[in-house]
Amino acid sequence: MEITVAEALIRCLEQENVELVFGYPGGAILPVYDALNKTTIKHILVRHEQGAAHAADGYARVTGKVGVCLATSGPGATNLITGIANAYMDSVPMVVITGQVSTGMVGTDAFQEVDITGITIPITKHNFLVKDPNQLPVIVKKAFHLASTGRPGPVLIDLPKDVAMEKIKFKYPKTVVLPGYKPTFKGHPSMVQQAGRIIMESERPVIYAGGGIRIANASPELLQLAEKINAPVTHTLMGLGCFPGDHPLFLGMLGLHGTKYANQAVTECDCLIAVGARFDDRVVSKISGFAPTAKIIHIDIDPAEIGKNVRIQLPIVGDVKNVLGALLPQLEKKENAPWLARIRQLKEEFPLHYDRNGCLKPQFVVEKLNEYKDDRAIVVTDVGQHQMWAAQYMRFKEPRCFLSSGGLGAMGFCLPAAVGAKLGAPDRTVITVIGDGGIQMTMQELGTAAEQKLPLKIFVLNNQRLGMVRQLQDFYCQKRHVAVDFQFNLDFAELGRLYGMEGYTVETAQQLEKLLPEVLASPKPVLVNCMVDPEENVLPMVLDGANINEAVD
Amino acid sequence: MRHTLAVLVENNPGVLARVAGLFSRRGFNIDSLAVGRTDNPAVSAMTIVVEGDDRYLEQVNKQLHKLVDVIRISDITRDAYVDRELVLIKVSADSNKRAEIMQLVDIFRARIVDVGPKSLTIEVTGNDGKISAFEESLRPFGIKELVRTGKIAMLRGFKASSKNNVHKEEDES
């Protein structure tokens, strides 16, 4: 029996076990929406396409599955861009489906036409324009395969309206042929052996763990490695949660706003084991001062990341779970007692700290949230000061508990990503830590959350300004503040109430402590507007051009 | 150092844009890029000439590899290879200069492909050295226009820098 390409697309999604898709309809994608009538796949109607992309991203980060979003041609497609770029930078598996004007009109500047495959080449792992109706099943199969294997990422399928309405015989391929795509899964045995030797010879090893651990589900192997060789573990922003935050070997985040002890440990170590991390500039700062005395072992599935930013001694290309699995038997138990004593000393000497006096401190809010949240709660942040405080002061026991826009640093990520996260993990508490700037970028998605009856716990760290930019202007522009103070401030508690949430405003530590247990336990959606000290800075901070162990504190 | 990359790509729409876009957004400089179909219509061969040190070339290589349409990359710079470029040159040629120009054409084993009342159009193939030498010797006569194809290259001997049997039909099972 013949079915339309649009129906075939939905059948393909069913074959890929897609449970829900995030989207926003429109003219060119009409046939696909029509086909959604005949499926059990749930469609989540967002309020802006950017929200669809971020929600699919949040869903994918929490579940480990491929997130799917839909939008129409032209503005629908361009509104997705930030979300696609965000997923690309953080290696999130996503399949993005856009409608396109009919093939006869492509290239004529037709109504709502943009060259979305052209636009998204630099921010997708790959993309497809469907021209031959019969190729659709093969393309969808390829898209899911590409998105979810190797280093994951977003893949876009652009589907012209006339192609979507053509009829084809549906057959979903079992395998894909991609001659140019063969990610290396197993690490090279001799490299793994050499890594084992370097580690066994080291006296001051440090593990630098990134988001690749979460992607490869390699947390158990990471824990075994760290305990076997007694190496402290520091994390990138994306790596938080991959190693238990309450473990004695936990060093917290490194880099620009990393802990002083993590940065000092990296500076002093003689062996740095980078696992699923990419030596981002926010981690490394000045290249020549980064781990200057260390032999660096870099384990990553993407060969292009190896040697890109920092010169390394030993590359191992492969799936980090597989490589760590192969590496563990090469190692013997190590104690490194003097090194661990040094680490303890660093931790005591340079703890994270802030002035607890005066008005409500933003660090206090995240600290208390950390205290009252349950271990499996998912924390979603936006981008800015609050994000860094959450990364510094919150502790996670398992991966996929901390969602944040890392590589792109996209304000507006938080709310829609929280919607996606809650839909992906309905039985878990989803807490958002968000600034008063970021919430106003995508707050229309409160409508989506209300419609889907999602009991999100939204904590707005409200300093009535763009705190991170103000901090940068303090440090780099001699406190000349431009465009960082909001002259108009809305009542976020009231905003929450308008969307059917319980809304509160807290101004003191006592009010917050009284409110927290109650609202976290409540089954209702809650928005807590926390009026925090607008003068607080995120510290430590490595200034431009400094080495990572020279942070201002 | 100047490197010559023999790159095999799937002959999909947009593949040239993907490769060219990669070079521009990563800040890599292309000296020349020539592209055309191989004996397998599903596969195209690109010859890319790019200047840079080894570390730079490693990044070019790895980033190119990340493109799903790129099947294979061989840096053939250090191997023995044959390279050719075709150049068309239109040169001013009054009747009193023609004999001299035709002598040069002979020496360089070039060919005259068009004769006008005041100009000659010459086709020459060869490697970099030969082509620049020819260009220099024609310069005094006045070069009106010059178009080059970019370099194409192939390894010497039996070894192939590009295997063409890499593309199989999609498995429809």
Side-chain angles (χ1 to χ4, degrees), chain A residues 1-6 8-9 12 129-142 159 162-173, chain B residues 170-172:
Chain A
M1 196 188 80
E2 293 202 327
I3 58 174
T4 67
V5 167
L9 171 65
C12 294
L129 171 62
V130 187
K131 285 183 173 165
D132 174 357
N134 291 301
Q135 282 296 306
L136 178 97
V138 174
I139 286 174
V140 177
K141 180 83 189 171
K142 284 180 178 174
L159 180 60
D162 59 332
V163 176
M165 294 189 293
E166 295 259 356
K167 293 222 164 177
I168 59 166
K169 268 195 181 140
F170 179 69
K171 201 176 185 187
Y172 200 56
Chain B
E170 306 292 350
D171 184 2
E172 299 277 347

Side-chain angles (χ1 to χ4, degrees), chain A residues 175-320:
Chain A
T175 53
V176 282
V177 182
L178 288 159
Y181 178 73
K182 297 197 172 53
T184 312
F185 187 75
K186 275 180 73 174
H188 196 285
S190 86
M191 293 297 196
V192 175
Q193 241 172 32
Q194 280 186 56
R197 265 203 304 278
I198 293 174
I199 293 169
M200 288 315 293
E201 282 164 12
S202 72
E203 289 170 358
R204 302 185 305 279
V206 168
I207 298 169
Y208 152 44
I213 304 270
R214 164 177 54 87
I215 294 166
N217 295 316
S219 290
E221 287 80 4
L222 175 68
L223 182 63
Q224 281 180 54
L225 173 70
E227 289 183 341
K228 194 164 189 181
I229 62 169
N230 263 305
V233 183
T234 182
H235 295 74
T236 66
L237 183 72
M238 305 311 296
L240 288 170
C242 293
F243 186 78
D246 54 356
H247 197 286
L249 291 169
F250 176 79
L251 280 182
M253 187 170 72
L254 83 165
L256 182 68
H257 291 300
T259 60
K260 283 203 103 171
Y261 44 90
N263 285 343
Q264 189 60 33
V266 169
T267 306
E268 290 179 19
C269 72
D270 65 349
C271 173
L272 186 70
I273 310 161
V275 194
R278 61 186 179 94
F279 296 88
D280 175 76
D281 54 284
R282 293 294 142 121
V283 162
V284 172
S285 289
K286 196 166 138 196
I287 291 172
S288 60
F290 184 77
T293 52
K295 284 187 174 163
I296 302 179
I297 299 167
H298 191 182
I299 306 169
D300 202 281
I301 197 153
D302 182 359
E305 288 304 340
I306 287 173
K308 187 177 83 177
N309 298 336
V310 168
R311 276 178 197 274
I312 54 141
Q313 273 65 47
L314 190 83
I316 307 178
V317 178
D319 172 78
V320 296

